[in-house]
Amino acid sequence: DTAVSQTPKYLVTQMGNDKSIKCEQNLGHDTMYWYKQDSKKFLKIMFSYNNKELIINETVPNRFSPKSPDKAHLNLHINSLELGDSAVYFCASSQDGNPRTPTYNEQFFGPGTRLTVL
Amino acid sequence: KNEVEQSPQNLTAQEGEFITINCSYSVGISALHWLQQHPGGGIVSLFMLSSGKKKHGRLIATINIQEKHSSLHITASHPRDSAVYICAVLEYTGNQFYFGTGTSLTVIP
């Protein structure tokens, strides 16, 4: 059973297109994240959703919009794709309900989606 | 300057060696994470620390909140430990994550 899944695994598209990446977690976690890993392998957080509310919104372009239909899903929509958007995007989830639990804030990562914009 | 600094950037070790990777940070934090990214790209969370020390198998992570420093130790290293190890901190307000640039470890048989 996959804990955090992302689709698609690879996405190749033309500049200017609109695309979505889906993320689902079956861990019952209440917080989900989107990260971007650039070509230099530097990992940077983009968004975090807790119980369907945005709680971190880093300085990413507003072409990127997270959508959370329920707490098990956090999808990433990207409009008007640019060359610089090419990267690997990771989804993750964590359970932040009780700081005393051993797995509090431990993050579980999806396999990543490699986006290539041509 | 990055809020999280890791050292060394690259590390090559012989199988069986004891390995230490260091992480220093400049912000007040509520938690520090150690992540492992395998050559295939997958990321695994190794530890989440807010104080003291945690051990899991051959991996040990320590944190000194006063000194704003954490170390990840690997005992009896093995080639399958070859990966990039990333330190990340959750700033104390809970609203900012900062990542180190990673330490690339290669363990030679």
Side-chain angles (χ1 to χ4, degrees), chain A residues 35-44 84-90 114:
Chain A
Y35 294 91
K36 179 181 180 181
Q37 187 172 43
D38 60 26
S39 57
K40 295 182 180 177
K41 302 293 185 183
F42 191 68
L43 203 61
K44 186 173 180 181
D85 297 333
S86 295
V88 180
Y89 293 83
F90 286 95
R114 182 173 292 278

Side-chain angles (χ1 to χ4, degrees), chain B residues 48-75:
Chain B
M48 195 280 294
L49 293 164
S50 53
S51 65
K53 175 179 166 179
K54 284 190 177 179
K55 184 176 188 292
H56 187 257
R58 294 179 295 105
L59 300 177
I60 303 166
T62 62
I63 188 169
N64 185 319
I65 296 292
Q66 286 74 29
E67 294 184 2
K68 296 188 174 178
H69 181 268
S70 175
S71 292
L72 177 68
H73 306 285
I74 305 175
T75 61

Side-chain angles (χ1 to χ4, degrees), chain A residues 89-101:
Chain A
Y89 293 83
F90 286 95
C91 175
S93 72
S94 67
Q95 181 59 39
D96 292 347
N98 182 355
R100 296 176 188 270
T101 59

Side-chain angles (χ1 to χ4, degrees), chain B residues 4-53:
Chain B
V4 180
E5 298 283 350
Q6 285 185 237
S7 63
Q9 245 183 328
N10 297 285
L11 181 55
T12 301
Q14 291 286 338
E15 184 174 357
E17 281 186 16
F18 180 85
I19 288 163
T20 296
I21 299 170
N22 295 300
C23 174
S24 295
Y25 53 91
S26 57
V27 296
I29 70 168
S30 60
L32 181 143
H33 297 255
W34 280 103
L35 309 173
Q36 180 191 54
Q37 185 167 30
H38 286 284
I43 297 176
V44 175
S45 175
L46 298 175
F47 295 104
M48 195 280 294
L49 293 164
S50 53
S51 65
K53 175 179 166 179

Side-chain angles (χ1 to χ4, degrees), chain A residues 60-111:
Chain A
V60 298
N62 57 15
R63 298 182 294 104
F64 290 79
S65 55
K67 295 273 194 301
S68 182
D70 54 62
K71 78 173 195 177
H73 296 84
L74 183 64
N75 304 323
L76 184 64
H77 299 277
I78 315 170
N79 296 325
S80 303
L81 277 156
E82 299 177 358
L83 294 176
D85 297 333
S86 295
V88 180
Y89 293 83
F90 286 95
C91 175
S93 72
S94 67
Q95 181 59 39
D96 292 347
N98 182 355
R100 296 176 188 270
T101 59
T103 54
Y104 172 69
N105 200 236
E106 180 182 0
Q107 294 193 22
F108 294 79
F109 285 79

